[in-house]
Amino acid sequence: MLNKTIILLGVDSYKKRVTNKIRRHYPYLKSKSFTPNRNDTFEQIVEKIKKHDPIAILNRGEEFIELHSRLVDHFQLPGPSYSAIKLFRDKAFFHKMMVKNDLSKYRPQTAFTTLKNLAEDLQRANFPVVIKPYQGAKSRGVSVLNSPDDLTEQIIKTLRDHFANEPSLQDKDEQKILIEEFIVGQQITSTSYVDHKGKLHTLGFIDVLDGRDFGATHQQLISRTTPSYYSYDVKNQIINLLQKLVDISGLRSTFIHPDFIVSPDEKIRLIEINARMGGLRYEMSKYSSGIDLDLSAIQLSLGEMPNDKSKKHFSCTGIDVWSEETGIIKKIKIAENPHVVKSTVYLNDGDQHVPPPLGNQQLARIYIKSGSDSFTIAKKLLRKTKIVIK
């Protein structure tokens, strides 16, 4: 096993952290950060990785989900197979799979169209609806419409730009659009993984609020809080549904990132599911339970069973700071609070800020840890944070 390598795909922000953990826990293994060139064929990528003698491939990036599955298939390594990923990746195909397996009650009513035919097909829709590209992330290209007249030229341009620039669509010509029933409710997600035998393990639930929940006009995510306040019944429905989908797909050895909407009467709707660790989960687990999700992800990629025993029990909220003003940043000052365990400012004085839906960069991110109610503390902190844009 000497000189074997763990290949790291995805965003750069996690790679240094993971590399250090590989050195500490698996000193006999090497790690290699790998980002394929945009024009590389799959065969060329395989040849480049083959030189490093891979024993595992770990992915944290949205745009590499399909590539990751094809690579673990090719090298016969632990991870999500391409056949499993195909069931989840295309939102239109995913919806049809849910209906086929008598799981339609867990999905919003959905119609499919193309960008070219969107305006015409909206004339037959029951409003309000959500329109979204069939592939992408972080609410890019997602809009809520209350009538056909809400489909503006700017929304069309945003969708067109999404298909042109979304990394996960670079090698695809489709411009498929989903027209979904708008579900009144709030979002919940889980921190879950599937082991090498196909058993789902859920480490916790996270309540997610977007801009509309805070009275803003955009849909970008603002807060994520664990533990969730939703009932045992809601959480149990989610666990049972996810295990059914794991069984249908044959998914193995991966974290999953599911997004649900819970209606006021506690009915759940599954919006999407991705085979990777979702954003903020590492930090949320670190501060709330002491579980090291990076190490768990490494263990999964090696076909091992993670040690996911909770070491502590705290409430944790992650807050993204957004502004609806366009202009030059003059000041961003995070309010001081003893419960803040980490804060990061992404734009500096003098930087240009473009708000959603045209822009997709939050101004700052803050993590709050508390023995009881971190969300209440986070809301007060958000109100006190100073943002000046000229």
Side-chain angles (χ1 to χ4, degrees), residues 6 8 14 17-18 21-22 26 56-60 68 78-79 193 203 253-255 276-277 282 291-307:
I6 299 179
L8 306 179
Y14 86 101
R17 213 170 58 209
V18 170
K21 286 172 186 175
I22 292 171
Y26 300 91
I57 301 175
L58 184 60
N59 174 53
R60 200 70 58 86
H68 180 219
Y193 69 86
L203 309 181
S253 300
T254 183
F255 272 90
R276 68 178 182 95
M277 190 191 300
Y282 167 77
I291 298 174
D292 187 338
L293 294 191
D294 281 344
L295 180 57
S296 296
I298 295 168
Q299 291 166 331
L300 280 176
S301 73
L302 291 166
E304 300 175 358
M305 185 67 77
N307 178 6

Side-chain angles (χ1 to χ4, degrees), residues 4 58 78 84 87 129 187 248 324 329 333 367 369:
K4 293 280 188 178
L58 184 60
L87 291 177
V129 297
Q187 187 173 329
I248 291 168
E324 298 190 32
I329 303 291
K333 183 174 176 56
Y367 294 95
K369 183 177 79 171

Side-chain angles (χ1 to χ4, degrees), residues 71-84:
L71 288 172
V72 297
D73 279 356
H74 177 86
F75 290 105
Q76 297 186 309
L77 299 174
S81 67
Y82 183 58
S83 61

Side-chain angles (χ1 to χ4, degrees), residues 4-8 18-19 22-23 29-33:
K4 293 280 188 178
T5 304
I6 299 179
I7 302 294
L8 306 179
V18 170
T19 296
I22 292 171
R23 288 172 182 163
L29 298 178
K30 298 187 296 183
S31 63
K32 174 66 178 177
S33 174

Side-chain angles (χ1 to χ4, degrees), residues 11 41 49 87 89 143 149 236 244-245 248 251 265 278 281 306 320 327 362 377:
V11 293
T41 65
I49 290 179
L87 291 177
R89 191 67 179 145
S143 296
D149 295 337
N236 199 44
K244 286 179 183 177
L245 292 172
I248 291 168
L251 203 62
D265 58 355
R281 279 166 174 75
D320 280 347
Q362 69 268 43
I377 298 169

